[in-house]
Amino acid sequence: MRLLLIEDERELADALSGALSKHGIVTDHTTHLADAFELTRQNSYDAILLDRRLPDGEGLSFIPMLRRTGTDTPIIVLTARNEPLERVEGLDVGADDYLGKPFLVDELMARLRAVLRRPPSLTELQISVGRMAIDPLHLSVTVESIPLDLPRRELLVLVALAKRKDKTVLRSTLEAAVYNYEEEIQSNALDAHISRLRKRLLDAGAGIAIHNIRGVGYLLKEE
Amino acid sequence: MRLLLIEDERELADALSGALSKHGIVTDHTTHLADAFELTRQNSYDAILLDRRLPDGEGLSFIPMLRRTGTDTPIIVLTARNEPLERVEGLDVGADDYLGKPFLVDELMARLRAVLRRPPSLTELQISVGRMAIDPLHLSVTVESIPLDLPRRELLVLVALAKRKDKTVLRSTLEAAVYNYEEEIQSNALDAHISRLRKRLLDAGAGIAIHNIRGVGYLLKEE
DNA sequence: CCGCGAAGATTGCGGCAGCATTACGGGGAC
DNA sequence: GTCCCCGTAATGCTGCCGCAATCTTCGCGG
C-alpha cells in the first residue's frame, strides 16, 4: 500500500512515515501542493493524507483540483483546524475523512481501513441534470438556482436516481434507499412516490424524465 | 477467504464450518434461502455452498435468482440427490460444481480450489462491445452514452452473452440466466427473445452481432 | 448440385403482470 | 384546527412475453 502525505511539519511527517512503515505502508512525502499535484499524476496512490495549512496555500483547495482530474483516491485531512464547522467544510469539498491533530496512529489506521473498505465513491458533490442541480450530501435540489423543496421520500428517490443518472436503478435499490429494514412496505408506495415526483418535476420545469424499465427498475435522464 | 453455506442440517453445517476453518476459511451459515439472498447482498463471498432440500424451497432455485442480480460467485451444490440427471439439472441452472453427499472434506477442498482457479472474475464492472457499454451489476446498457432500455428478459440474455463475448454461450446457460427453476419453458421463447433483441440492437446502432452456433448456442461479437 | 430434414428466425396474437394515476384517510407538525 | 405527507387500494392501460404458425437457413448425403 502506498500513501501520499502532504504535510509541511517535517517532524510530524517523519514520525508518521515511520509509524506507517511498520504497518507495511509506503509513504511519499511532500510539503507543497504544487509538488503533490505532480506526484499524483505520476503515481497511483491508495490514499492521500492532507494537511490544511501549507506553505503554498490552503490544503483543502487541493481536493477539488484533484477530483476534477477524475481521481477518486480517498483523501483524509489531517489538521489542527478541528472545529465542527471546519470538519464539515473539509468533508463537503470531497475529503473522505477528517482527523484533528493531535491523533493516535491507531485511529488513523482504523480510519484508513474504513476508507479503503468503501467502494470508490460514486458520490459526486453536485449532480446536474436537465435544468436541475442536486446536492446528494445536503439533500437539496434547485431548478435554475431556485430551491425546490420536495417531501422527504420523493427527495430520496430523486437523489438515488440522480446518483446514477442515465443508468437503470433497480427497484430493490430504490426501496433500500427510501425505506429502512423496519419499515415494511406492502403496496405500491414506491410507484406512488415516483408518480408524485414526476408531477412535481414537471410543474417545476426541471427538464428531466424518469423512465420505467419494466420488471427491472427506473432510469433518470434529461428529456 | 469467505464462504456462504446454505444448509439446514445443523450437524453437518457445524462440522463443515469447523473443518473449513482449519483451512483458514471463514464460513457464514444460514438455513433458509431468503436469508441467504440477503447475505449475498450485504457481503461478497468467494464461493457459495448450497444444499438442495431446504425448509423454504428447492435450493437450485436460488441460483438463477442470484445470477439475475449479476453475481457470478461460484456455487457448489452439496446434496444427497446425486443421480446423474439431477447433477445435470444442477449444473444447467448455473451451478459451478455438484457434489453428492456424503463426501470427503478433502474432495470439497479440491473442488473449491478448482472452481476458484477459474478466470478470477467474469464480473467486469463495465463491458464494452461495439458501440455499446454494459454494466452487468446494475443491468444497464448504453449505446454511445445514450441509455438503452430493454425488456427484462432481453436484457438478461444480452448480459449473459456480453459477459462471455467472443465465446459461445450454451443454450442451456442462457436459459439458466433468464428463467428460474420453477419457470418451465416449452416453446422457442428464448429464440424469440434473441430475435427481438437483435432487432432492437440494430435499431439502436449498437454495432454488435449475435451469431448462432447451430445445435450449441449463441455468440456475441462486434460486427 | 440438389433435396431433405432439422434447427433457427421471424412475427402476429392474446393473456396478464406490472406500472401509472388518483382518491381517500390516518397521522404528525405547527 | 389546518395542512400536507404518505401508505393504501382501486382503476385503467401498456407492452412484455409465451405460444405457435410460417418461413428461412444450414449441413449432410447422394
Side-chain angles (χ1 to χ4, degrees):
Chain A
M1 171 135 67
R2 184 183 205 92
L3 298 190
L4 175 61
L5 172 61
I6 311 171
E7 167 65 66
D8 65 334
E9 294 171 44
R10 178 73 56 180
E11 279 180 40
L12 174 59
D14 289 348
L16 202 48
S17 296
L20 290 172
S21 76
K22 288 184 185 153
H23 290 86
I25 297 175
V26 179
T27 310
D28 288 352
H29 173 226
T30 180
T31 54
H32 288 70
L33 289 177
D35 299 336
F37 196 66
E38 209 38 46
L39 283 168
T40 58
R41 297 180 53 130
Q42 287 158 14
N43 305 288
S44 167
Y45 294 103
D46 297 286
I48 295 171
L49 307 178
L50 177 65
D51 190 18
R52 282 190 68 156
R53 202 180 36 76
L54 289 168
D56 58 343
E58 156 70 82
L60 287 193
S61 67
F62 179 70
I63 301 178
M65 260 167 66
L66 190 67
R67 295 299 187 224
R68 215 167 292 141
T69 68
T71 315
D72 57 8
T73 309
I75 297 176
I76 300 181
V77 175
L78 304 178
T79 177
R81 303 189 50 183
N82 193 28
E83 294 300 313
L85 276 179
E86 292 173 334
R87 289 200 294 270
V88 170
E89 201 181 358
L91 294 168
D92 274 354
V93 296
D96 293 270
D97 205 344
Y98 196 103
L99 188 53
K101 294 181 189 173
F103 54 84
L104 297 177
V105 173
D106 283 344
E107 181 176 0
L108 175 59
M109 283 302 301
R111 287 181 182 272
L112 207 47
R113 280 190 295 271
V115 154
L116 293 172
R117 197 181 307 134
R118 287 178 212 152
S121 85
L122 292 168
T123 320
E124 301 167 53
L125 294 171
Q126 179 91 341
I127 302 167
S128 56
V129 213
R131 277 180 287 285
M132 192 164 214
I134 296 165
D135 180 339
L137 285 175
H138 295 98
L139 295 176
S140 67
V141 176
T142 57
V143 177
E144 311 224 297
S145 308
I146 300 161
L148 173 65
D149 51 329
L150 295 169
R152 192 172 109 268
R153 305 235 123 132
E154 291 172 36
L155 184 59
L156 293 173
V157 170
L158 177 62
V159 170
L161 287 169
K163 277 189 182 170
R164 301 188 38 83
K165 66 170 171 175
D166 295 330
K167 301 199 173 153
T168 307
V169 183
L170 299 182
R171 233 192 140 75
S172 57
T173 307
L174 286 176
E175 279 167 7
V178 176
Y179 299 94
N180 62 33
Y181 279 109
E182 292 89 47
E183 299 173 310
E184 286 279 320
I185 191 174
Q186 36 185 316
S187 74
N188 62 347
L190 180 62
D191 305 58
H193 287 306
I194 296 265
S195 175
R196 292 189 275 247
L197 177 57
R198 276 178 177 143
K199 183 162 180 10
R200 264 187 244 266
L201 293 177
L202 190 64
D203 291 348
I208 67 181
I210 298 174
H211 294 282
N212 167 262
I213 285 96
R214 191 166 262 247
V216 183
Y218 291 87
L219 181 154
L220 178 148
K221 63 175 201 175
E222 303 196 10
E223 53 180 17
Chain B
M1 171 132 70
R2 185 183 205 93
L3 297 190
L4 175 61
L5 172 61
I6 310 171
E7 167 64 64
D8 61 342
E9 299 175 43
R10 180 73 57 181
E11 281 185 38
L12 174 59
D14 288 348
L16 202 48
S17 297
L20 291 172
S21 76
K22 288 184 186 157
H23 293 268
I25 296 175
V26 179
T27 309
D28 287 355
H29 173 227
T30 180
T31 55
H32 288 70
L33 290 176
D35 299 334
F37 196 65
E38 260 316 304
L39 285 168
T40 58
R41 298 184 48 140
Q42 287 158 14
N43 306 287
S44 167
Y45 293 102
D46 297 285
I48 295 172
L49 306 179
L50 178 65
D51 192 11
R52 283 192 66 157
R53 203 179 37 74
L54 288 168
D56 58 342
E58 157 68 75
L60 287 192
S61 67
F62 180 70
I63 301 179
M65 256 166 72
L66 191 66
R67 296 298 187 225
R68 200 166 300 148
T69 68
T71 314
D72 55 10
T73 308
I75 297 175
I76 299 180
V77 176
L78 304 177
T79 177
R81 304 187 52 183
N82 194 27
E83 295 301 313
L85 274 179
E86 292 174 331
R87 288 201 294 271
V88 169
E89 210 174 9
L91 294 169
D92 271 355
V93 298
D96 293 87
D97 205 336
Y98 197 101
L99 187 54
K101 298 180 188 174
F103 56 83
L104 296 179
V105 172
D106 283 345
E107 180 179 359
L108 175 59
M109 281 304 301
R111 288 180 181 273
L112 208 47
R113 280 191 293 271
V115 153
L116 293 171
R117 199 179 305 134
R118 291 188 203 145
S121 109
L122 292 171
T123 323
E124 300 167 53
L125 290 174
Q126 182 91 332
I127 302 169
S128 55
V129 212
R131 278 180 285 285
M132 190 164 218
I134 297 166
D135 179 340
L137 280 178
H138 297 96
L139 295 176
S140 63
V141 176
T142 57
V143 177
E144 311 224 298
S145 308
I146 299 162
L148 174 65
D149 48 327
L150 295 170
R152 187 170 50 103
R153 306 232 122 127
E154 291 172 35
L155 184 59
L156 294 172
V157 170
L158 177 61
V159 169
L161 286 169
K163 276 190 181 173
R164 303 184 41 88
K165 64 170 172 175
D166 297 325
K167 301 192 176 158
T168 306
V169 183
L170 297 183
R171 242 193 132 74
S172 59
T173 307
L174 286 177
E175 279 166 8
V178 176
Y179 298 94
N180 67 32
Y181 192 67
E182 291 91 44
E183 298 173 311
E184 286 279 321
I185 192 174
Q186 33 186 310
S187 73
N188 63 344
L190 179 63
D191 305 58
H193 287 307
I194 296 265
S195 171
R196 292 190 272 247
L197 178 57
R198 277 176 176 145
K199 182 161 180 8
R200 264 188 242 265
L201 293 178
L202 190 64
D203 292 348
I208 68 181
I210 298 176
H211 294 283
N212 168 262
I213 312 298
R214 189 163 260 251
V216 183
Y218 291 87
L219 181 154
L220 178 148
K221 63 176 207 176
E222 302 198 10
E223 54 180 14

